[in-house]
Amino acid sequence: MTRLQINFERLKADVQTLATIGRGEDHGLYRMAFSDADMVARNWLQARIEDAGLDYYLDGAANIHARLGWDGERPSVITGSHLDTVPGAGHLDGALGVLTGLECLRTVKEQAIALQYPLECIAFSDEEGRFGGMFGSTALCGLLSPDRILQARDLNGVSIVEAMATHGLDAMEALHAQRNPDSIHAFIELHIEQGPVLDRQKLHIGVVDAISGLFKWQVRLLGEANHAGTTPMSMRRDAFQGLAEISNAIPRILEEHGSPRSVATIGRVELFPGAANVVPGRAEFTLEVRDTDPDILTELANALRRALSAIARRRDLMFEFEVMSELTPAKCDSGIVNTIATLCRDMGINATRMHSGAAHDTQFMTRITRAGMIFVPSKEGRSHSPSEWTSWEDIELGANVLLNSLHRLAGAKV
Ligand SMILES: [Zn+2]
């Protein structure tokens, strides 16, 4: 069976053009959601969609849809990702999923390939989190509330309501962006891996079978601040020593209670009073733990709580913690995972099944439809930086895997 192929030169030109929109002097991209640069990118995408003769549709959450064969009756096979970036971003995170999706639709239209289901490519709003993140996909899944919209602010205190109003958009309309699950047949997102696994193993495609969930705690260990010269070691209630001990215990706890996919990070630490000659009386730190299995996350939370409490008791410290955030892991649809994996095998591609340690819009799409993801390698795992890079060969390969996956899921018309 001959494989369908996208127009690589056209895709490459799009990737290169979009990479110039919002570029800063440090070469990083600054297309934060609903910034002027984001709006330029959106307008550019709209022109690409219209030039290709595809239908352009903007929903209430300002998610951009390119549509092919949409009739409001048959459910569609959807692909897509996001155009917005973190500050100082690379040119592929999000952008690649939107542009390969657009290229797939253009190819299907140009080659007049008849499909049973319509195709859609979506550029989701605020994936990266200027206003909290995943705004577009949570809206589409019906998970937004008026309160959440009204409270969403960026680091400078600008609300999403104000930011969208600047560009003539009404944030409250996002409540109407909810999509009837019956109107979606399947969803696939292509994305760069943003980690080193594919690159290190010289693999070209990752077929994502699950996306990690997480919990994030703010932990406080309370002891007693004392003179660092006069307080004997045996009489100290040193909060930092408690923190050091829990940090040391993490590998064992993951080994005993986690899975090979478990990761735990203490990413921010503060000691009080924070002087070289004072025994720290208080240690505050974040503890973030991720895994793809909700039961394992619960098990890890319990084990960490037990360990913290044992360490605190032994060292005569008090401990308390606050749950800062929790995100449920998401499983990709096994049928879609198999479709992509089989396709890779048939195409003779060096692929592997893997999980995503980073969050993506797909995480929310799994709640309303069968969903899957395709990863392409990130050079040395670099991402959220101008040095983000994927070889053009891998981009072309990924786009062709996406095209053929969409073709299989949308069903050839007989
Ligand atoms: Zn992304």
Side-chain angles (χ1 to χ4, degrees), residues 81-82 93-94 127-128 189 191 194 360:
S81 197
H82 56 99
D93 181 352
E127 192 272 348
E128 290 287 9
E189 178 174 9
H191 205 281
Q194 300 179 281
H360 297 289

mmCIF file of all heavy atoms in Angstrom, residues 81-82 93-94 127-128 189 191 194 360, ligand 1:
data_model
loop_
_atom_site.group_PDB
_atom_site.id
_atom_site.type_symbol
_atom_site.label_atom_id
_atom_site.label_comp_id
_atom_site.label_asym_id
_atom_site.label_seq_id
_atom_site.Cartn_x
_atom_site.Cartn_y
_atom_site.Cartn_z
ATOM 1 N N SER A 81 -2.507 21.533 18.188
ATOM 2 C CA SER A 81 -1.642 21.818 19.332
ATOM 3 C C SER A 81 -1.805 23.320 19.614
ATOM 4 O O SER A 81 -2.916 23.821 19.488
ATOM 5 C CB SER A 81 -0.208 21.408 18.981
ATOM 6 O OG SER A 81 0.587 21.290 20.133
ATOM 7 N N HIS A 82 -0.734 24.031 19.898
ATOM 8 C CA HIS A 82 -0.909 25.440 20.283
ATOM 9 C C HIS A 82 0.115 26.349 19.607
ATOM 10 O O HIS A 82 1.227 25.917 19.290
ATOM 11 C CB HIS A 82 -0.794 25.588 21.803
ATOM 12 C CG HIS A 82 0.504 25.063 22.364
ATOM 13 N ND1 HIS A 82 1.572 25.871 22.664
ATOM 14 C CD2 HIS A 82 0.908 23.810 22.656
ATOM 15 C CE1 HIS A 82 2.571 25.133 23.130
ATOM 16 N NE2 HIS A 82 2.205 23.876 23.127
ATOM 17 N N ASP A 93 7.756 23.909 19.922
ATOM 18 C CA ASP A 93 6.799 23.516 20.962
ATOM 19 C C ASP A 93 5.424 24.089 20.622
ATOM 20 O O ASP A 93 5.227 25.297 20.653
ATOM 21 C CB ASP A 93 7.288 24.054 22.318
ATOM 22 C CG ASP A 93 6.354 23.677 23.468
ATOM 23 O OD1 ASP A 93 5.273 23.138 23.208
ATOM 24 O OD2 ASP A 93 6.722 23.944 24.626
ATOM 25 N N GLY A 94 4.494 23.217 20.298
ATOM 26 C CA GLY A 94 3.142 23.646 19.949
ATOM 27 C C GLY A 94 3.012 23.959 18.475
ATOM 28 O O GLY A 94 2.162 23.393 17.782
ATOM 29 N N GLU A 127 -2.111 27.448 25.940
ATOM 30 C CA GLU A 127 -1.679 26.146 26.453
ATOM 31 C C GLU A 127 -0.586 26.353 27.489
ATOM 32 O O GLU A 127 -0.543 25.701 28.517
ATOM 33 C CB GLU A 127 -1.152 25.282 25.303
ATOM 34 C CG GLU A 127 -0.948 23.806 25.677
ATOM 35 C CD GLU A 127 0.411 23.488 26.267
ATOM 36 O OE1 GLU A 127 1.332 24.334 26.212
ATOM 37 O OE2 GLU A 127 0.577 22.391 26.812
ATOM 38 N N GLU A 128 0.310 27.317 27.221
ATOM 39 C CA GLU A 128 1.541 27.420 28.004
ATOM 40 C C GLU A 128 1.372 28.065 29.379
ATOM 41 O O GLU A 128 2.263 27.990 30.209
ATOM 42 C CB GLU A 128 2.619 28.168 27.212
ATOM 43 C CG GLU A 128 3.156 27.375 26.022
ATOM 44 C CD GLU A 128 4.059 26.205 26.420
ATOM 45 O OE1 GLU A 128 4.134 25.892 27.620
ATOM 46 O OE2 GLU A 128 4.679 25.619 25.521
ATOM 47 N N GLU A 189 -2.485 14.529 18.688
ATOM 48 C CA GLU A 189 -1.607 15.701 18.733
ATOM 49 C C GLU A 189 -0.178 15.255 18.420
ATOM 50 O O GLU A 189 0.334 14.319 19.034
ATOM 51 C CB GLU A 189 -1.650 16.343 20.131
ATOM 52 C CG GLU A 189 -0.714 17.550 20.275
ATOM 53 C CD GLU A 189 -0.852 18.288 21.616
ATOM 54 O OE1 GLU A 189 -1.551 17.765 22.523
ATOM 55 O OE2 GLU A 189 -0.266 19.369 21.752
ATOM 56 N N HIS A 191 3.704 16.417 18.712
ATOM 57 C CA HIS A 191 4.441 17.368 19.548
ATOM 58 C C HIS A 191 5.893 16.935 19.611
ATOM 59 O O HIS A 191 6.195 15.756 19.425
ATOM 60 C CB HIS A 191 3.829 17.390 20.962
ATOM 61 C CG HIS A 191 4.067 18.660 21.717
ATOM 62 N ND1 HIS A 191 5.260 18.931 22.347
ATOM 63 C CD2 HIS A 191 3.271 19.731 21.943
ATOM 64 C CE1 HIS A 191 5.173 20.119 22.931
ATOM 65 N NE2 HIS A 191 3.979 20.637 22.696
ATOM 66 N N GLN A 194 10.386 17.034 23.960
ATOM 67 C CA GLN A 194 10.832 17.926 25.045
ATOM 68 C C GLN A 194 11.641 17.200 26.106
ATOM 69 O O GLN A 194 11.823 17.725 27.204
ATOM 70 C CB GLN A 194 9.658 18.649 25.715
ATOM 71 C CG GLN A 194 8.846 19.512 24.781
ATOM 72 C CD GLN A 194 7.680 20.193 25.487
ATOM 73 O OE1 GLN A 194 6.663 19.556 25.727
ATOM 74 N NE2 GLN A 194 7.825 21.443 25.828
ATOM 75 N N HIS A 360 0.004 18.221 28.215
ATOM 76 C CA HIS A 360 -0.378 18.699 26.879
ATOM 77 C C HIS A 360 -1.900 18.816 26.804
ATOM 78 O O HIS A 360 -2.610 18.232 27.606
ATOM 79 C CB HIS A 360 0.099 17.716 25.805
ATOM 80 C CG HIS A 360 1.587 17.579 25.736
ATOM 81 N ND1 HIS A 360 2.388 18.586 25.258
ATOM 82 C CD2 HIS A 360 2.418 16.575 26.092
ATOM 83 C CE1 HIS A 360 3.646 18.193 25.318
ATOM 84 N NE2 HIS A 360 3.699 16.987 25.831
HETATM 85 ZN ZN ZN B 1 3.549 22.368 23.916
#
